[in-house]
Amino acid sequence: MFIALIKKQIKLLLRSPSEILTLFVMPIVLILILSYALGPLMEGDSEMTIIELAIIHHEDEEEQIQGFIDALPPNVVLDQKTSGNIENSLPVSMLVKELENNNEMKELIHVTQLDAKSLAEVKKSGDYDVVLEIPSNFTKEYLDAKFFDQEKPAFNVYLNESEQITSTIVKEIIDYFQQQYTLQSELSESGVIIDHTALSSQKIHSTIRSVDSLEEVPSSVYYTFSMTVMFMLFIAGTLASQSFIEKNTHIFDRILLARIHSSTYLLSIIVSSILFSLLQVFVLFTFSYFVFNISFANWELFLLLSILFSIVIGAIAALLSSINYRSNSAGASNLFSTAIVAILAFFGGSYFNISSLSPFIVNVGMLTPNGAALDGYLKIAQNGSLNDLLPNITVLSSLAFLLMLIAFLLFPKRGGIV
Amino acid sequence: MIEVVNLSKNFKRVTAVEQVNLYIEPGEIVGLLGPNGAGKSTTIAMLSTLISPTDGDVLLNHKSILKNPSELRGVLGVVPQEIALYEDLTAKENLQFFGSIQKMPKQLLAERIDIVLEQIGLQDEPKKLVKHYSGGMKRRLNIGVAMLHEPKYLIMDEPTVGIDPQSRNHILKTVKTLNENSNMAIIYTSHYMEEVEFLCNRIYIMDKGKIIASGTKEEIKAVLSSENTVHVKLEFHSKSFINDLMDQPMLSNINAKEAEITFTVAKGMDFLPMLLSLCEKNNVILKSFQVEEPTLEDVFLHLTGRALRN
Ligand SMILES: Nc1ncnc2c1ncn2[C@@H]1O[C@H](COP(=O)(O)OP(=O)(O)O)[C@@H](O)[C@H]1O
Ligand SMILES: [Mg+2]
């Protein structure tokens, strides 16, 4: 009988041409338009050029390692294997190795290693697109941080402002640190040196993050996600309007007379919204997969986030239905579809990347369901981990819980006229 | 047996239903007759547990169901005054849906759908979307949905409003057969007295929230047993003639529509000489006149001083 409620809902939606237009066709058209029209603007010169990367050393890595080993407490003994591991996992040499040995990368990035004296000159010359400055004591501090839980060092990244940096290098740097991260866990799992090994990549990671602003994903990726989350919101308004028709035409009375509890009915609205949201995500993502070659390699995370956001959509649909039923008008769902979606879309960054506006707006955006979902999708697209998604997951689950709670409390228990 | 006892409903400014008492026993057809706004739908909604009364009680087999309406809902089929159907589903899909939520077994449901489609005369177009149906077909499906699960009591709220005479006849016949063959008890709400007169054994007449008369057709008409209704047709309209009629103490309920006039007069009263002399006096020609047994319409007119239909 619950299945019948769901089946009916889906049938009705799929039979309504205007809903299909709003939920599937419009987002696809918008993704296409925005990606092609605003894409070049967003990405700068999209022509492939070799990126000149300069790495400036303020230190001698070997010396730094020796310094680290010398400073070890006498009760810690390093065996051959561990020292080897340490040398292999040094961030700077790893980066260089990675860039020079990877054939694809070699075509994109040209690395030059320079010493500290040339920094000022290099920065001024404009010969390099990216300058990586390794401060003195970086390696030792990095090792200290890793093994003794000390303050983690950062390094500086200078971008040549006259040239737009493509996203590739940034992504490469992130990949590199991701790799670092795994290596470290392996090292600590072997348990050789110290048991309270801290994962040190976080600080460095965040330094990089600031370079890797959201703008650096291709516009097709950005707009696939931003339009998807925006148009998923419409599902909530649509289903709430539809459920109000059921009250208005006294179909809801018939449902109650069939001895279906009003909460069961409300739950059916939620479940239908969730199913429909997932269908919408699937359609839009599949479209972008084939048209833009967007990768959904981390599909488990995409699925997790999509399910969570769909549940929030269900909760919004339930809340709007409850308000509609209470007020005996379709006002709430109409207001939502005509105005509130637009406001949420603005703060959630669906029209353009709001991070350029102000930190305050960014914070507000993260509290909107669509903003939290969009941010989450972008993180996954940039190879973020489950950990990176925690704030998004928290926001979405809290919203889902809160909205559903209010919806169930508000929903009238009898039909007809309250 | 379903009973409502001293049932009242106040909305913010209006008292829609006031101290209404009525009952229905298994197998009978009961009519609820009254003009628009009388409070019929509100009474029905309380009786079918869809709104809660301000005062009074609803009983199923002498037990109040206000706290736990589930048992009553289980034996009810309700035909709302509105078309409570999904316009974007077909007739069959509508029946399928409403049957499924009644938790009817699959096999039984399939059989019942065919039977009901036949009964409501939609067997030829079960796969058409409801929105493409005529008003009469929608009304019929509206009834079909309510009787799908073979309820003991079928409550119909103005099931023939706004449809063609053919559909209307079909519905009336269906209702009668349903009651006779399946022994379904029916509460039939209407503002058409001839429908109620045709269908119902017992009748409640409602006006301004109150029951103003109740009983069998004969009992109710006995209210007017001492009176006859007279229809008079003139050759042309005459204001002075009507005014003169109104001055006659032996006539009451005078109602004039152009050249057609009705009034009631006590049985046995010889009004003909008076009528003829008034014609002569006002220079009007009497085309015809007819003395009739009272109808429910006349009863309503008698009780309220107003016509049932406006
Ligand atoms: N929800 C409501 N709020 C306020 N007044 C109502 C409501 N429903 C019905 N009424 C009023 O109650 C009276 C009876 O209405 P109703 O039961 O629909 O009459 P009927 O069905 O006999 O035409 C009318 O005056 C109507 O305006
Ligand atoms: Mg009514």
Side-chain angles (χ1 to χ4, degrees):
Chain A
M1 143 288 265
F2 192 72
I3 306 269
L5 285 167
I6 307 286
K7 234 165 85 181
K8 167 263 312 179
Q9 204 75 44
I10 304 260
K11 250 187 210 164
L12 289 177
L13 261 178
L14 291 179
R15 277 186 198 171
S16 161
S18 66
E19 300 305 345
I20 297 294
L21 206 69
T22 319
L23 299 180
F24 295 105
V25 181
M26 265 177 48
I28 285 180
V29 169
L30 278 172
I31 292 170
L32 278 174
I33 292 176
L34 291 170
S35 299
Y36 286 124
L38 301 185
L41 221 87
M42 212 170 164
E43 285 171 58
D45 185 8
S46 54
E47 232 173 78
M48 290 266 249
T49 50
I50 290 197
I51 294 165
E52 287 293 335
L53 169 70
I55 299 180
I56 310 271
H57 297 272
H58 281 276
E59 57 164 26
D60 180 322
E61 213 171 39
E62 296 289 319
E63 244 171 54
Q64 294 285 319
I65 299 171
Q66 203 49 53
F68 170 73
I69 291 173
D70 290 347
L72 282 175
N75 59 333
V76 179
V77 185
L78 277 183
D79 59 17
Q80 204 59 39
K81 187 168 155 259
T82 314
S83 338
N85 270 348
I86 289 180
E87 279 181 34
N88 281 337
S89 67
L90 287 173
V92 180
S93 37
M94 273 223 46
L95 175 61
V96 174
K97 235 193 293 173
E98 169 72 19
L99 292 179
E100 285 181 342
N101 294 344
N102 182 324
N103 279 338
E104 263 173 63
M105 281 302 127
K106 253 194 302 201
E107 285 174 14
L108 284 172
I109 301 173
H110 181 246
V111 183
T112 315
Q113 301 199 53
L114 299 163
D115 68 11
K117 276 174 285 182
S118 38
L119 175 65
E121 201 183 310
V122 165
K123 275 163 67 179
K124 225 172 47 201
S125 73
D127 290 344
Y128 298 95
D129 301 312
V130 185
V131 179
L132 214 61
E133 184 192 5
I134 313 294
S136 49
N137 289 335
F138 177 82
T139 304
K140 180 166 184 308
E141 280 174 26
Y142 174 80
L143 290 168
D144 284 343
K146 194 152 88 171
F147 296 117
F148 299 111
D149 202 12
Q150 300 199 355
E151 177 108 28
K152 295 125 196 163
F155 57 74
N156 299 321
V157 179
Y158 302 101
L159 305 179
N160 187 339
E161 286 174 10
S162 63
E163 295 222 12
Q164 286 274 359
I165 178 171
T166 71
S167 58
T168 329
I169 178 159
V170 181
K171 192 154 175 303
E172 184 54 34
I173 293 172
I174 287 179
D175 283 349
Y176 159 67
F177 276 103
Q178 217 90 44
Q179 216 164 345
Q180 272 306 108
Y181 177 88
T182 353
L183 263 178
Q184 274 166 20
S185 355
E186 273 168 27
L187 204 63
S188 62
E189 266 161 29
S190 64
V192 191
I193 303 182
I194 283 169
D195 52 3
H196 62 273
T197 305
L199 299 178
S200 61
S201 60
Q202 212 50 44
K203 171 81 182 216
I204 296 174
H205 201 79
S206 65
T207 316
I208 295 300
R209 264 283 145 96
S210 69
V211 177
D212 159 42
S213 79
L214 292 181
E215 290 161 66
E216 302 301 339
V217 300
S219 63
S220 56
V221 171
Y222 190 87
Y223 283 114
T224 293
F225 296 136
S226 70
M227 287 299 117
T228 301
V229 296
M230 170 169 159
F231 279 86
M232 281 168 82
L233 290 174
F234 282 113
I235 290 182
T238 300
L239 267 93
S241 300
Q242 220 175 54
S243 91
F244 184 69
I245 294 177
E246 292 181 323
K247 167 164 183 169
N248 220 11
T249 56
H250 294 246
I251 288 175
F252 180 62
D253 288 351
R254 289 202 144 139
I255 292 175
L256 284 183
L257 286 167
R259 287 180 288 178
I260 288 181
H261 199 274
S262 54
S263 311
T264 310
Y265 171 76
L266 196 57
L267 191 66
S268 81
I269 295 175
I270 295 175
V271 173
S272 315
S273 310
I274 293 174
L275 291 178
F276 220 77
S277 302
L278 288 174
L279 176 67
Q280 196 185 22
V281 173
F282 179 76
V283 168
L284 296 183
F285 282 10
T286 306
F287 166 81
S288 285
Y289 174 79
F290 284 112
V291 175
F292 296 116
N293 278 321
I294 294 181
S295 153
F296 293 96
N298 292 323
W299 64 270
E300 300 97 333
L301 290 181
F302 276 114
L303 185 66
L304 173 77
L305 192 66
S306 301
I307 290 177
L308 253 178
F309 185 49
S310 299
I311 295 175
V312 179
I313 298 290
I316 298 174
L319 180 62
L320 293 174
S321 305
S322 289
I323 300 175
N324 278 351
Y325 270 62
R326 275 273 152 202
S327 62
N328 209 9
S329 83
S333 52
N334 286 344
L335 183 70
F336 183 80
S337 298
T338 52
I340 298 179
V341 168
I343 295 170
L344 286 175
F346 172 79
F347 283 104
S350 280
Y351 299 134
F352 57 92
N353 190 350
I354 42 156
S355 60
S356 54
L357 291 185
S358 85
F360 172 73
I361 293 188
V362 174
N363 288 337
V364 172
M366 258 306 275
L367 290 178
T368 63
N370 51 313
L374 172 58
D375 183 71
Y377 282 133
L378 290 170
K379 279 181 189 164
I380 305 173
Q382 292 167 327
N383 285 323
S385 65
L386 183 61
N387 255 339
D388 299 323
L389 287 183
L390 281 182
N392 309 67
I393 291 174
T394 313
V395 169
L396 291 175
S397 342
S398 318
L399 277 173
F401 175 77
L402 204 73
L403 298 177
M404 277 196 209
L405 187 71
I406 303 174
F408 276 97
L409 290 177
L410 272 185
F411 200 75
K413 301 291 172 281
R414 277 181 198 254
I417 323 129
V418 186
Chain B
M1 181 164 75
I2 305 176
E3 292 164 274
V4 308
V5 182
N6 294 332
L7 205 61
S8 299
K9 180 72 186 181
N10 301 329
F11 293 113
K12 268 171 215 130
R13 247 161 296 161
V14 269
T15 301
V17 173
E18 200 177 344
Q19 297 286 317
V20 160
N21 289 287
L22 56 85
Y23 70 91
I24 175 164
E25 298 203 74
E28 65 174 340
I29 307 191
V30 170
L32 186 55
L33 180 67
N36 281 329
K40 302 183 299 294
S41 295
T42 308
T43 305
I44 292 293
M46 288 189 283
L47 188 145
S48 46
T49 76
L50 290 171
I51 63 176
S52 26
T54 312
D55 197 17
D57 207 349
V58 179
L59 311 174
L60 174 65
N61 300 328
H62 311 295
K63 222 172 72 203
S64 172
I65 51 84
L66 287 186
K67 290 240 163 55
N68 183 11
S70 181
E71 197 182 336
L72 178 55
R73 287 178 182 178
V75 297
L76 284 188
V78 177
V79 182
Q81 189 173 342
E82 298 76 13
I83 305 283
L85 300 169
Y86 291 105
E87 296 259 322
D88 282 317
L89 297 185
T90 66
K92 203 159 185 163
E93 285 169 332
N94 268 289
L95 290 167
Q96 189 82 44
F97 171 73
F98 288 109
S100 304
I101 61 172
Q102 289 281 2
K103 303 176 193 74
M104 291 173 71
K106 247 196 164 119
Q107 179 68 34
L108 174 70
L109 178 57
E111 286 168 22
R112 285 291 302 159
I113 288 178
D114 288 340
I115 294 174
V116 167
L117 281 173
E118 185 93 35
Q119 278 173 325
I120 58 180
L122 293 180
Q123 67 274 25
D124 295 332
E125 318 185 59
K127 299 233 164 101
K128 211 160 140 182
L129 293 185
V130 168
K131 66 176 167 200
H132 297 136
Y133 276 174
S134 72
M137 291 162 88
K138 288 181 190 174
R139 284 270 160 211
R140 282 184 268 159
L141 184 59
N142 205 31
I143 296 169
V145 166
M147 62 194 222
L148 189 63
H149 61 296
E150 297 184 274
K152 254 183 129 140
Y153 297 91
L154 186 64
I155 301 179
M156 314 180 85
D157 194 357
E158 311 227 21
T160 58
V161 156
I163 59 174
D164 56 292
Q166 212 176 337
S167 274
R168 190 171 165 199
N169 286 340
H170 189 280
I171 287 175
L172 290 177
K173 254 187 270 164
T174 310
V175 171
K176 195 127 196 161
T177 330
L178 210 56
N179 171 258
E180 280 162 7
N181 297 352
S182 327
N183 204 33
M184 211 178 267
I186 294 167
I187 298 183
Y188 193 95
T189 298
S190 178
H191 66 269
Y192 297 114
M193 65 91 195
E194 60 279 13
E195 289 185 354
V196 171
E197 214 169 339
F198 169 72
L199 286 174
C200 307
N201 324 112
R202 282 195 308 113
I203 296 161
Y204 293 89
I205 300 184
M206 199 167 179
D207 186 46
K208 296 187 175 164
K210 290 186 191 150
I211 303 282
I212 54 172
S214 67
T216 62
K217 266 178 274 190
E218 294 71 28
E219 283 167 352
I220 291 184
K221 285 182 189 170
V223 173
L224 298 182
S225 61
S226 53
E227 290 180 344
N228 281 329
T229 301
V230 180
H231 296 268
V232 174
K233 256 191 202 162
L234 304 180
E235 193 66 45
F236 46 83
H237 173 71
S238 159
K239 188 108 183 89
S240 55
F241 177 76
I242 293 167
N243 285 338
D244 280 345
L245 273 186
M246 293 205 173
D247 289 336
Q248 296 298 320
M250 68 171 96
L251 307 183
S252 55
N253 298 321
I254 298 164
N255 220 332
K257 234 187 234 163
E258 299 290 301
E260 293 184 26
I261 302 162
T262 59
F263 52 80
T264 55
V265 62
K267 264 186 185 159
M269 185 73 76
D270 190 8
F271 63 92
L272 203 52
M274 174 273 292
L275 193 63
L276 293 173
S277 73
L278 283 186
C279 285
E280 201 162 333
K281 173 180 166 220
N282 291 287
N283 263 335
V284 295
I285 299 163
L286 188 61
K287 252 178 90 178
S288 72
F289 81 90
Q290 195 178 355
V291 183
E292 263 183 17
E293 285 288 302
T295 62
L296 290 175
E297 183 89 43
D298 303 321
V299 177
F300 189 81
L301 193 65
H302 172 81
L303 292 172
T304 64
R306 284 175 291 118
L308 196 51
R309 258 172 281 169
N310 28 32

